[in-house]
Amino acid sequence: MWGQAQFEESRHQLHKQPLVGQWKALASATTEQELQFSELPGKDCSTGDENQSMAQLNVSRLRSSSVEIREKGSEFLKEELRRALKELKLKDEECERLSKVREQLEQELEELTASLFEEAHKMVREANTKQAASEKQLREARGKIDMLQAEVTALKTLVITSTPSSPNRELHPQLQSPSKTAFRKGHGRNKSTSSAVVTATNQNTPSESVGSEFKEVDSILFAEFQAWKEFPSLDKSCQFLERIYQEDVGPCLDFTKHELSELVQAAVEQNTLTIEPVATQTLPVVKVSAIECGGPKKCALSGLSRACRHRIKLGDSGNYYYISPSCRARITAVCNFFTYIRYIQQGLVRQDVELMYWEIMRLRKEMALAKLGYYSSEM
């Protein structure tokens, strides 16, 4: 028909025309062609109306399909966008969590490093302190060993049993000349254990009488000494030492300055007392007041004005206390007693039990005389 032939001719003309500009979608091009076809005049009005209706129907279908495609594409893109945003949020949360973990680990590492350095410095300080203390103890131990070796050598020389052909005059004072039997004692710079090695052992008088003096063993005292001799110790709670503490040691070391008297007794018991002559030593700087320590003309123990030719030091303290001759005699008598019983405890005195007993009684006699105020002019 004419309308169909015209439509085909128009389509060929459209194909022959050059395309200028950008490419358009297939749906829009078809729509424009159908619009052009609908505008073409036709000889048959009924056929034109039918074609026009078909063209409009196709256009509406194309439009509806393109809208549906756009909607589906938009929904798909929105879904992808939501998924991407969700994943991005999860990754942000994971990054934040990892960042917090890293900060926590860094803080713990810093604290651990600081604690390790502090512990290391503490260990070094403790090691240095222990090393210094050990070196000090080693020096003190070596000094004590040298002192004890000298004492043992002197004691062994003095306690050798004499023979009739060559008697030991130190063990038998009656064989000595009157000029040599004079009262001789002295401390110098010796500790309480070595202050009177000679006086503690070189006058072991025998049980026989000397001159006009007679002696008789007290059975109670001798029994107490024998019981102590079985298990010798310096524990003042035993019956033998308890009696001597009450009757001799306590009263002999009971001075006017009671607090200082207790310190002196503790130093004698612990073997840490030192007595020095004042004239041969340069006076050190005294840490306490002159009234407490006394002075060359004032005794620190009695508090009386006396000419003090000696001073004492208690342990490792830097304080020196000036003492009168009477106080020195009392302290020396107690030191001699403790020196002798320490030698017995250590097994250095190898004599008959009765001779040991009489030597202890002689030392008790010295303490008794000293506490009554008797002392040698050499003090």
Side-chain angles (χ1 to χ4, degrees), residues 62-77:
L62 290 174
R63 287 178 178 176
S64 62
S65 62
S66 63
V67 170
E68 184 178 359
I69 290 172
R70 288 196 191 95
E71 290 178 354
K72 288 183 178 181
S74 177
E75 291 178 0
F76 177 76
L77 292 176

Side-chain angles (χ1 to χ4, degrees), residues 32 216 241 262 289 315:
E32 291 177 357
E216 183 178 353
L241 289 181
E262 294 177 356
S289 64

